[in-house]
Amino acid sequence: NEDEVASNYDLIIGLLQVSDGDLPLKCFNVKRCTGLEVIQALLLLYRNSIYIIDGFEIIDGKSLKGKINRLEKATSTYYINLRSKGFKSTASSDIYKQDEIISNSKISGDACDKNRIKDKTSQVSSEEISYQHRSKKIAFNDIYAVYRRRYQLQQNALEFYDVIRNCTLVAFTCNAEREEVLSSVLSSSLPNSIFNSSVLSASTSINYNKFMKSLRHKITQQWVNGKLTNFDFIMQLNTFAGRSYNDLTQYPVFPWVLADYESEDIDLTNPAVYRDLSKPMGAQNELRAKQFQERYEALHSNFINENEPPPFHYGTHYSCAAYVLNYLIRLEPFSRLALNLQGGRFDLPDRLFHDVGASWRSASKDNLQDVRELIPEFFYLPEFFNNSNMFDFGTTQNGKVVHHVSLPPWAKGDPKRFVRIHRQALESDYVSRNLHKWVDLIFGYKQRGREAISSLNTFIHVTYEGSVNIDDIDDPVQRDSTISQIQNFGQIPSRLERRPFPTKNVPNLFKENIIDLNALPCLSHLNPPLCILGAPHKSCLLTCFWDTCKIGMTGQIDSSVGDMCLVRGSILGVGKTCCLILPSKKYYRFGCSNNGISVHVGLVSARHREVNRVISLHDNMHRAIITTAKSSADGSWLITGCLDASVRIWRSRGHKLILKSTLCGHEMGQITSIDVCVTFGTIVTGGADGNILLWDLFTSTFLRKLIHTSESISTSPFAKEVISVSLNHKNGNILAVVGSSINLFDINGNLIGDLEPGSMFSDNEAPSCGIATNCPDWTEYGVVAVTGHKNGYVRLWGIHHGNKILIMRHIVPNSVHSCPITCLRLSGENQDTLLIGDKSGKISMCKSLQLENLSQEELSIYSQEMISLRSSKFTMT
């Protein structure tokens, strides 16, 4: 009856704890897709948000009038072998630089653990865990983008991206329901989304197709004009074409870019080392291309009427779920998904991805059943080459143990080196000039029709969008068979253009052996932080101006600067016991006896006309005095550290601060430094106890402790106190300054760089603060860290990748600052501006040297250095 139906929804709504007491407008049956896992769920549409609740479905009615049924959670059983931690591989090509891998060793008979391991969920049948009802809220204020997606080749899905780029893919039962939800979302206020543009502000509704076409044109032009990297451009095209990390059958596709996987060294200036981007993988080898052409002609000769499947060149695809899982099988959750796909066991060793060079040869010339391309992880994720989970994948027929992935000789056995070179190859001039040809094959006019036939680029018809309508198939056996084909074979991306994609403008940096200054703007997107544009091997900062910090100084025992930012060319600085809220230009003040904070005006505005004026007070936020605080870049989170070694996470909602969690892990003493990155959902905290801890921002869980190299010879009791921690917001790297040691870690806690052994600072030169830059991993000459020192000096640090040593790139002398540096901040789109604050209250701004300000003689010197670097054979350090 109606009362029972109401109670079903009342129960779910009560569990969701909707804060404003809002009620759902509509309810839909959906499937939430993650990888190959599809979970039946409910989608509740509210006025200002969407809720997705797993494990329920509507039956006996529609929307809010239907009855809700609870679904049991599916369980699986896996049979795997794990190798012991002391496992040693005999294959020299498998030797990485991890300590546990030793060359020329033998595998003992008991090296492998032969115990059969099962998924625990299969062993437990209790009612309490046979159901799983996770919920996810997508507030319209937090939506960054929403895209139409295909599911099983049908236009019935949506993918939501939030402001930190987390995405959720849901498939509806029909296209009409998908469009109803999309229309409701687009007609709502989306202040932080791509749809919130000035062009659309006067309109109450958004034409989705028109908007996406305009946005795609804008992004293409940015790439053509050198404002977008090749990696970012390909990712954007994948997004527009319906590819998603949430759907392994439509995973983002990337090209093979190199063809040389056998040389000891590789020269990226040599066109011969690259793959032919104008041809699909099936046409890279002439002999094999001829065989594919003969197959097509044979099928075409037997093609009688349109009711029969049309002819094709390839019986396999360049991207499918099996290929993706094969690449990523060494990482969770892909290991588990691969086990699901293979019936609970890993595939045969010979069929697993175990050698990059062998995979290239198979896909380009050796195997008629293999025309696969790559996935994005080949250009940024070295961890997937390493079998860190110690799975026993077995031994191939020729006796090779399948363990870590064998890398090309020029990678020197180092996955990070391979990814670094591979990404540099993707961004090279050769690939930039030819990438549009590959884009035409995958996303453009050569995807279908005569151009596809002449380019040897046709596949089985069921992989093309619009070729199959599942709803029109009445026979359940044929329907299941078609769905299975779609899921296992692969899907062609949506076609984005019916005309050739434009060629990227690749400027010639040199004109008559002198750097062409007109070409520099096209190189800005690739320029590392604090490096000279046009000469990235050099770093040189020039002081532009300096001032004195006057805001937030009341009550401080000295004039130390605590935080800064750049506002319309001027520095906004605040005192040591303050931290800025960047979006609003307000600031938090802490360290008071109320064990809380206060919010103050940092910059005069129409609403707030008095600087330092108190906006709100928040008492008793901790049990003792707050010693440090950090606001997230978007101002939505505040992390506070206390004298009692506790850390608390607060969510900022208007004038309210909502406590989310208390973190306890530091042993004793106060918290000395905090940083937070919403993009990676990571908090890093440092304390007087010398510990550096990583936490998950969203789950409030402890991740790991960073093992740093600290000064051991000092007799000071505070020698190991953590002075600064800082996160790289592009790749998650972490800088830690502990005592007089400077350490750089990756997001997984691995030490990737520290000071050269034996190098020491005198007491007057010891570091007093430090920050990580947003330097990407793949750049060769970038500045990865900046440290301020007690004598007023500021040092810029690069990294020697081979030796994992931090190398000093530049010193900013103490012409302005002659006392300890207390604050550093990077500014500018490409982080070419450095703000410096010291203990006396002085604040200064330094900018990278610009080549156009050099004399002709100085420019000639820089030009000769760049020519020498470019003409020399490519070697990595």
Side-chain angles (χ1 to χ4, degrees):
N1 58 40
E2 292 185 2
D3 292 337
E4 290 176 344
V5 173
S7 66
N8 286 329
Y9 282 97
D10 287 344
L11 176 61
I12 291 178
I13 293 168
L15 291 173
L16 292 178
Q17 297 180 342
V18 181
S19 57
D20 55 5
D22 196 8
L23 295 176
L25 304 176
K26 277 207 167 183
C27 184
F28 302 89
N29 276 329
V30 297
K31 294 177 180 178
R32 188 173 62 83
C33 310
T34 306
L36 287 178
E37 296 178 332
V38 179
I39 301 173
Q40 187 68 41
L42 295 180
L43 185 146
L44 295 178
L45 178 63
Y46 285 78
R47 284 186 297 109
N48 299 313
S49 61
I50 286 173
Y51 283 86
I52 301 169
I53 310 104
D54 293 347
F56 293 103
E57 66 175 348
I58 306 170
I59 59 174
D60 299 335
K62 292 185 178 181
S63 192
L64 299 176
K65 295 183 179 180
K67 181 181 177 182
I68 296 178
N69 185 39
R70 191 182 187 195
L71 302 173
E72 287 194 23
K73 184 180 99 173
T75 59
S76 301
T77 301
Y78 310 130
Y79 301 93
I80 62 173
N81 294 325
L82 294 179
R83 292 181 172 131
S84 64
K85 289 185 178 180
F87 174 80
K88 301 171 184 179
S89 172
T90 58
S92 60
S93 58
D94 289 339
I95 302 306
Y96 286 178
K97 297 189 177 181
Q98 282 82 358
D99 294 336
E100 67 271 17
I101 306 300
I102 304 174
S103 60
N104 299 322
S105 60
K106 296 182 180 180
I107 303 174
S108 61
D110 58 350
C112 297
D113 179 9
K114 298 299 182 182
N115 294 327
R116 181 172 292 178
I117 299 175
K118 295 186 178 181
D119 184 2
K120 292 182 180 180
T121 59
S122 67
Q123 302 175 9
V124 184
S125 59
S126 64
E127 180 77 10
E128 285 73 22
I129 69 164
S130 61
Y131 297 92
Q132 188 174 50
H133 304 299
R134 292 179 296 180
S135 67
K136 180 177 180 62
K137 178 184 178 181
I138 305 173
F140 292 165
N141 284 344
D142 294 334
I143 288 180
Y144 172 75
V146 56
Y147 295 98
R148 285 180 178 142
R149 288 287 181 257
R150 292 180 296 166
Y151 176 68
Q152 296 179 347
L153 281 178
Q154 305 303 297
Q155 285 287 353
N156 61 354
L158 289 176
E159 187 166 33
F160 299 92
Y161 285 79
D162 62 23
V163 290
I164 58 174
R165 307 305 188 268
N166 287 331
C167 51
T168 304
L169 177 64
V170 292
F172 295 81
T173 56
C174 63
N175 177 268
E177 291 184 352
R178 191 269 300 268
E179 293 303 308
E180 182 179 354
V181 173
L182 178 62
S183 178
S184 296
V185 172
L186 295 182
S187 62
S188 304
S189 175
L190 304 172
N192 298 309
S193 77
I194 58 176
F195 305 104
N196 186 40
S197 63
S198 57
V199 177
L200 300 170
S201 58
S203 174
T204 57
S205 62
I206 298 170
N207 185 319
Y208 179 87
N209 290 333
K210 185 176 180 181
F211 178 88
M212 286 298 169
K213 183 177 180 180
S214 174
L215 181 62
R216 190 172 70 243
H217 175 76
K218 176 183 176 182
I219 288 173
T220 301
Q221 289 305 308
Q222 287 177 342
W223 175 72
V224 167
N225 295 324
K227 303 298 183 183
L228 206 64
T229 64
N230 294 339
F231 180 91
D232 290 335
F233 180 58
I234 298 173
M235 279 303 305
Q236 291 283 359
L237 292 180
N238 273 285
T239 300
F240 286 125
R243 314 297 284 189
S244 169
Y245 282 111
N246 278 320
D247 187 355
L248 293 182
T249 68
Q250 299 184 89
Y251 207 74
V253 56
F254 269 65
W256 288 93
V257 292
L258 292 173
D260 183 356
Y261 296 93
E262 298 177 357
S263 301
E264 288 294 329
D265 294 296
I266 189 167
D267 179 8
L268 295 185
T269 64
N270 181 7
V273 304
Y274 293 95
R275 163 253 182 107
D276 187 346
L277 290 164
S278 68
K279 298 177 181 179
M281 288 302 297
Q284 294 295 314
N285 176 269
E286 290 186 11
L287 178 61
R288 195 171 71 147
K290 184 178 179 182
Q291 292 175 292
F292 285 130
Q293 181 62 33
E294 291 173 350
R295 170 194 285 175
Y296 180 88
E297 292 172 353
L299 292 172
H300 186 269
S301 64
N302 295 324
F303 182 63
I304 301 174
N305 58 66
E306 295 183 356
N307 294 326
E308 295 181 354
F312 53 86
H313 292 102
Y314 312 115
T316 57
H317 203 260
Y318 51 75
S319 176
C320 66
Y323 290 164
V324 175
L325 292 177
N326 199 14
Y327 283 140
L328 299 175
I329 196 169
R330 291 163 179 81
L331 289 183
E332 283 288 4
F334 303 101
S335 307
R336 176 169 49 83
L337 294 174
L339 288 166
N340 277 336
L341 192 67
Q342 295 293 333
R345 302 177 187 273
F346 289 123
D347 203 352
L348 297 175
D350 288 273
R351 295 173 54 176
L352 294 178
F353 172 57
H354 62 272
D355 187 310
V356 176
S359 294
W360 160 255
R361 291 188 293 273
S362 174
S364 63
K365 63 178 181 179
D366 291 345
N367 189 348
L368 284 174
Q369 303 302 318
D370 187 1
V371 291
R372 75 186 70 185
E373 293 277 10
L374 298 183
I375 54 176
E377 285 80 357
F378 273 83
F379 301 93
Y380 69 83
L381 189 68
E383 286 78 9
F384 85 93
F385 293 104
N386 193 3
N387 184 19
S388 57
N389 290 314
M390 302 303 291
F391 292 119
D392 182 2
F393 295 115
T395 305
T396 64
Q397 292 182 15
N398 61 10
K400 179 181 178 181
V401 175
V402 179
H403 192 45
H404 301 313
V405 177
S406 297
L407 302 173
W410 46 259
K412 312 302 181 187
D414 184 357
K416 291 184 177 180
R417 178 186 172 96
F418 172 84
V419 169
R420 190 164 61 250
I421 296 176
H422 207 217
R423 177 63 190 273
Q424 289 179 352
L426 180 65
E427 304 298 341
S428 67
D429 286 352
Y430 176 88
V431 173
S432 296
R433 292 190 179 99
N434 293 279
L435 183 59
H436 66 285
K437 300 174 184 176
W438 179 83
V439 171
D440 286 334
L441 293 168
I442 306 299
F443 305 105
Y445 79 110
K446 290 185 178 181
Q447 188 192 91
R448 298 187 181 198
R450 283 186 243 175
E451 293 290 345
I453 295 171
S454 61
S455 301
L456 271 69
N457 194 39
T458 62
F459 299 82
I460 295 177
H461 73 288
V462 295
T463 63
Y464 290 88
E465 183 178 12
S467 62
V468 176
N469 189 346
I470 300 296
D471 295 334
D472 291 342
I473 303 176
D474 297 326
D475 185 351
V477 175
Q478 184 181 357
R479 179 188 177 93
D480 291 343
S481 175
T482 304
I483 291 175
S484 179
Q485 275 187 296
I486 294 169
Q487 290 179 333
N488 295 316
F489 187 85
Q491 299 181 44
I492 301 289
S494 297
R495 183 160 60 173
L496 301 179
E497 287 289 345
R498 296 177 182 273
R499 296 175 298 176
F501 270 84
T503 307
K504 184 176 184 179
N505 297 326
V506 181
N508 185 2
L509 184 58
F510 301 98
K511 182 181 290 185
E512 298 178 357
N513 290 332
I514 297 294
I515 294 176
D516 183 5
L517 300 180
N518 295 324
L520 296 182
C522 294
L523 302 174
S524 61
H525 68 291
L526 293 175
N527 202 55
L530 301 178
C531 292
I532 299 174
L533 180 59
H537 65 293
K538 293 283 189 180
S539 293
C540 182
L541 295 183
L542 303 176
T543 302
C544 301
F545 68 85
W546 68 273
D547 200 349
T548 303
C549 179
K550 301 181 178 67
I551 302 174
M553 290 292 184
T554 306
Q556 288 191 187
I557 59 175
D558 57 31
S559 300
S560 297
V561 180
D563 204 355
M564 297 173 292
C565 69
L566 204 59
V567 182
R568 295 189 291 272
S570 299
I571 303 176
L572 171 61
V574 293
K576 185 178 181 179
T577 55
C578 305
C579 70
L580 285 168
I581 309 170
L582 294 179
S584 63
K585 304 301 182 287
K586 301 171 187 174
Y587 67 90
Y588 294 113
R589 185 172 180 187
F590 53 88
C592 300
S593 58
N594 66 345
N595 298 342
I597 66 164
S598 52
V599 182
H600 298 255
V601 176
L603 187 68
V604 173
S605 64
R607 185 175 181 182
H608 303 291
R609 298 182 178 275
E610 184 182 347
V611 173
N612 288 327
R613 181 173 174 236
V614 177
I615 298 174
S616 61
L617 289 170
H618 306 267
D619 296 331
N620 299 316
M621 295 173 64
H622 281 263
R623 299 177 66 182
I625 291 175
I626 295 175
T627 55
T628 187
K630 184 70 174 183
S631 176
S632 61
D634 62 357
S636 62
W637 297 88
L638 173 67
I639 317 299
T640 54
C642 184
L643 190 64
D644 64 4
S646 66
V647 176
R648 285 187 167 175
I649 304 174
W650 306 84
R651 191 69 194 265
S652 177
R653 299 285 191 188
H655 292 309
K656 295 182 179 180
L657 289 173
I658 304 168
L659 178 63
K660 290 295 183 180
S661 186
T662 300
L663 310 176
C664 298
H666 289 273
E667 297 174 2
M668 57 184 177
Q670 67 185 34
I671 304 300
T672 57
S673 184
I674 293 174
D675 202 4
V676 56
C677 178
V678 178
T679 303
F680 287 94
T682 302
I683 301 169
V684 56
T685 59
D689 59 357
N691 289 329
I692 304 168
L693 307 181
L694 257 63
W695 313 83
D696 189 292
L697 172 64
F698 304 119
T699 63
S700 303
T701 53
F702 171 75
L703 297 177
R704 59 183 54 88
K705 176 182 175 181
L706 302 184
I707 308 300
H708 57 82
T709 57
S710 59
E711 185 181 33
S712 59
I713 61 173
S714 175
T715 59
S716 170
F718 301 104
K720 294 185 180 181
E721 177 177 304
V722 177
I723 296 171
S724 288
V725 291
S726 178
L727 280 157
N728 179 324
H729 289 240
K730 293 292 185 183
N731 58 24
N733 286 350
I734 303 153
L735 176 74
V737 180
V738 186
S740 290
S741 68
I742 304 171
N743 302 266
L744 190 68
F745 302 88
D746 65 22
I747 197 169
N748 293 315
N750 301 308
L751 182 67
I752 57 178
D754 62 357
L755 296 178
E756 189 172 1
S759 60
M760 293 184 296
F761 296 105
S762 66
D763 289 342
N764 187 48
E765 294 176 337
S768 53
C769 66
I771 56 170
T773 72
N774 283 348
C775 183
D777 288 328
W778 57 272
T779 56
E780 192 66 20
Y781 305 108
V783 173
V784 298
V786 183
T787 55
H789 297 258
K790 291 182 179 179
N791 60 357
Y793 277 64
V794 174
R795 287 177 166 87
L796 311 186
W797 301 90
I799 188 168
H800 188 290
H801 294 288
N803 297 330
K804 298 183 179 180
I805 298 297
L806 294 175
I807 302 170
M808 190 172 64
R809 294 282 304 274
H810 179 65
I811 297 180
V812 181
N814 58 1
S815 57
V816 173
H817 305 279
S818 56
C819 59
I821 303 299
T822 58
C823 181
L824 297 165
R825 166 84 73 173
L826 287 162
S827 187
E829 185 178 353
N830 297 313
Q831 293 196 334
D832 61 349
T833 303
L834 178 65
L835 308 181
I836 307 170
D838 67 21
K839 190 174 182 179
S840 70
K842 283 184 180 179
I843 49 179
S844 66
M845 181 175 77
C846 300
K847 291 185 72 70
S848 294
L849 173 69
Q850 295 180 328
L851 293 181
E852 50 262 40
N853 296 330
L854 297 180
S855 66
Q856 197 66 24
E857 182 179 354
E858 292 171 320
L859 186 62
S860 178
I861 294 174
Y862 278 105
S863 300
Q864 291 305 313
E865 290 178 355
M866 285 297 297
I867 291 172
S868 176
L869 285 171
R870 288 194 164 208
S871 61
S872 62
K873 187 176 178 67
F874 185 86
T875 57
M876 296 290 295
T877 57

